[in-house]
Amino acid sequence: MINFENIDYLQTGNKRQREAYQTLTRHTLLERLVEFDPLLAGTVPIGINLPSSDLDIVCSFQSPDYFEKFILSRFQKEDQFRIRLIEHPAGKAIIANFFLDTFEIELFGQAVPSKQQYAFRHLLVEHQLLVQFGEELRQKVIHLKEQGYKTEPAFAEALGIQGDSYIELLHLPADLSVLSIKK
């Protein structure tokens, strides 16, 4: 099992994963966010990214105001920087986007421990599904993403999972053998 709490695994991944590692380390991005327990989530860590996929970094904060001020003071001069506050089921979330090298970076902060945030939990479930079903599922999900599906709906479509894909993926049975790839 890959330790997704440490980005070292990216060094031996596909080309885009190696580029992500170089960008994250060159800009010391995770180190600069360390007080917010940053974790890389999204499609790049599990190799289902499209060329335009961003690097999603989840962060946990105690104070949305402090997090927002911190992000503004450290990143507002980055290329195409923007920041917004949204209402999320778990409370206020702050999202900042900007570009570093060839990647759009998305920082997603909320008052939920990083390991418990949906994005990181989805990463773990999706990785488990890819381990279980292999390259056939990977290619089907990538194909669906190329057709415009978001990641979680693509997994749900590929596996015939009904309902809200963002919720249903988090409630899959421990025995994944009950699932199969839709033909």
Side-chain angles (χ1 to χ4, degrees):
M1 178 72 167
I2 295 172
N3 176 8
F4 288 107
E5 295 175 42
N6 181 324
I7 65 166
D8 287 348
Y9 67 92
L10 294 171
Q11 294 178 84
T12 58
N14 65 35
K15 181 177 187 278
R16 198 66 173 149
Q17 289 170 323
R18 292 189 310 272
E19 290 170 351
Y21 180 82
Q22 291 300 320
T23 293
L24 293 170
T25 56
R26 178 178 22 261
H27 295 278
T28 62
L29 191 54
L30 299 177
E31 291 84 352
R32 292 162 63 191
L33 294 164
V34 72
E35 71 182 279
F36 304 104
D37 193 24
L39 293 172
L40 181 64
T43 60
V44 172
I46 55 176
I48 57 167
N49 55 287
L50 300 179
S52 61
S53 294
D54 61 5
L55 294 179
D56 298 308
I57 300 171
V58 297
C59 298
S60 178
F61 57 66
Q62 299 297 314
S63 163
D65 293 335
Y66 175 75
F67 183 71
E68 182 178 19
K69 287 175 186 165
F70 181 93
I71 297 304
L72 284 167
S73 71
R74 298 327 189 267
F75 302 107
Q76 71 180 345
K77 292 185 177 159
E78 298 298 345
D79 186 32
Q80 298 182 48
F81 178 86
R82 62 193 185 285
I83 191 167
R84 64 196 181 284
L85 174 70
I86 64 166
E87 288 300 324
H88 191 271
K92 290 181 181 178
I94 295 174
I95 303 172
N97 297 81
F98 52 90
F99 283 81
L100 292 175
D101 301 336
T102 62
F103 286 97
E104 180 173 2
I105 307 296
E106 179 170 285
L107 305 179
F108 182 93
Q110 65 183 153
V112 173
S114 298
K115 291 180 202 169
Q116 294 175 21
Q117 291 186 30
Y118 279 9
F120 191 72
R121 291 174 58 205
H122 283 142
L123 168 81
L124 298 177
V125 168
E126 291 159 4
H127 173 69
Q128 186 179 4
L129 289 167
L130 290 168
V131 168
Q132 175 79 25
F133 294 104
E135 193 60 25
E136 182 182 359
L137 178 60
R138 179 181 313 281
Q139 291 306 316
K140 184 150 190 144
V141 167
I142 291 171
H143 177 72
L144 290 167
K145 287 176 62 58
E146 289 170 339
Q147 293 180 348
Y149 279 74
K150 292 291 205 180
T151 303
E152 287 72 19
F155 271 94
E157 176 66 22
L159 295 168
I161 296 170
Q162 301 297 311
D164 181 339
S165 59
Y166 295 91
I167 301 299
E168 296 304 319
L169 283 174
L170 298 176
H171 299 306
L172 290 177
D175 180 8
L176 295 177
S177 66
V178 300
L179 297 174
S180 62
I181 299 174
K182 272 179 58 178
K183 299 298 176 193

